Amino acid sequence: MYLILFGAPGVGKGTQSKRLSREFGIPQVSTGDMLRQAIKTESELGSQVKSRMERGELVPDEVILSLIEQRIQEPDCSKGFILDGFPRTIPQAEGLGQLMQKLSLPAFRCIEIYVPDEIIIRRLSERKICSSCGTDYNPILNPEPADHICIKCGGSIISRNDDTDQTVRKRLDIYYSQTANVKSYFQQRGMWERIDGNRNVNEVYNDLLKLI
Ligand code: AP5
């Protein structure tokens, strides 16, 4: 299965793609996770992208396309993968189209998850993550322990640098000005489906399974 989960920040792309990854035994390919890992390991890529990500701005297309080209040729991607947070611009969508041809990949399904902005802002203001293993904590799905220590790995629980109110609003602006038009690229190719993400995680997941 070759799937793109598309949508604004905080609609649940990461949450749902992790579940789909376990269900179908194919990897979740998240450009955001790859970039955060590069920052954590203080690699050259990490120092290149850190300040942009903290400001909520997009990383240049050529950097993202090169990351994706390498990642999807790794052995675990040979039977399919789930793209989470990519493509986010028309040049990225076109770059993906070229990669599909070059690597002889079958057509992708592209599913948009949509959620009203005010719900997104609330979800992201409440989100905490483990600084070590990345486990997601939030009041509804997985409340943070009182001692702020991750129950999975003992790491400290923190807010993501780009989850401040001001940066979330900027990420949403960027989504509407630079990413939302990727929809029409896929719609024109008959590759677009859409589900309501403003319900509980299991209901959203069941809708995804029905579509897939
Ligand atoms: P990225 O990591 O991709 O962030 P994002 O798209 O802003 O997505 P989020 O991780 O915030 O949200 P999500 O939709 O995955 O929702 P989640 O499941 O986590 O990108 C970060 C940055 O990296 C970008 O700003 C940019 O700088 C750079 N970047 C990445 N990709 C790039 C690209 N292709 N091009 C250029 N730059 C790029 O859920 C959010 C919260 O809601 C969680 O706490 C979760 O538990 C909760 N939640 C989920 N579902 C539900 C539900 N149904 N009900 C209640 N709560 C829910």
Side-chain angles (χ1 to χ4, degrees):
M1 178 174 70
Y2 294 83
L3 177 69
I4 298 170
L5 278 193
F6 188 89
V11 295
K13 305 181 295 295
T15 304
Q16 298 297 341
S17 49
K18 282 187 183 72
R19 284 184 76 165
L20 290 172
S21 166
R22 285 194 295 272
E23 176 106 23
F24 291 96
I26 55 173
Q28 167 206 22
V29 174
S30 158
T31 40
D33 286 350
M34 287 192 270
L35 295 168
R36 277 184 290 279
Q37 183 62 19
I39 293 172
K40 196 169 152 190
T41 56
E42 299 182 348
S43 68
E44 199 185 321
L45 170 66
S47 58
Q48 223 182 316
V49 302
K50 188 170 187 282
S51 55
R52 270 178 191 271
M53 286 180 72
E54 282 175 358
R55 291 194 300 268
E57 293 167 7
L58 295 184
V59 168
D61 292 330
E62 58 277 14
V63 173
I64 296 291
L65 282 165
S66 149
L67 266 183
I68 286 287
E69 180 163 9
Q70 285 173 41
R71 177 67 186 93
I72 67 177
Q73 292 186 75
E74 288 174 16
D76 63 330
C77 288
S78 63
K79 294 202 172 77
F81 46 85
I82 302 159
L83 292 172
D84 162 11
F86 171 89
R88 260 172 146 104
T89 62
I90 295 289
Q92 290 182 20
E94 289 169 349
L96 176 63
Q98 286 158 11
L99 271 178
M100 285 162 67
Q101 279 192 344
K102 182 173 158 186
L103 305 174
S104 304
L105 300 179
F108 282 71
R109 305 283 296 270
C110 188
I111 304 179
E112 178 194 4
I113 305 177
Y114 64 94
V115 170
D117 287 357
E118 62 273 20
I119 304 289
I120 288 176
I121 289 167
R122 195 183 69 216
R123 280 187 190 176
L124 296 185
S125 71
E126 291 175 343
R127 167 168 63 186
K128 297 279 173 63
I129 55 161
C130 170
S131 58
S132 183
C133 70
T135 296
D136 179 284
Y137 289 92
N138 67 69
I140 305 172
L141 304 172
N142 189 22
E144 176 187 7
D147 58 4
H148 313 295
I149 299 296
C150 178
I151 45 170
K152 280 200 188 151
C153 77
S156 38
I157 298 173
I158 55 165
S159 291
R160 237 170 75 172
N161 282 337
D162 59 352
D163 276 348
T164 62
D165 184 64
Q166 194 188 7
T167 310
V168 168
R169 287 175 196 276
K170 184 162 175 192
R171 284 159 63 197
L172 281 171
D173 284 347
I174 289 177
Y175 173 76
Y176 290 115
S177 62
Q178 297 183 45
T179 302
N181 62 355
V182 171
K183 273 186 215 183
S184 44
Y185 177 92
F186 288 109
Q187 276 167 337
Q188 283 159 13
R189 288 159 180 77
M191 292 162 70
W192 197 260
E193 286 152 302
R194 209 169 178 246
I195 59 165
D196 176 5
N198 188 19
R199 291 164 303 143
N200 79 45
V201 172
N202 290 335
E203 288 173 318
V204 178
Y205 186 66
N206 287 334
D207 264 14
L208 278 170
L209 286 183
K210 274 186 221 151
L211 276 184
I212 292 165

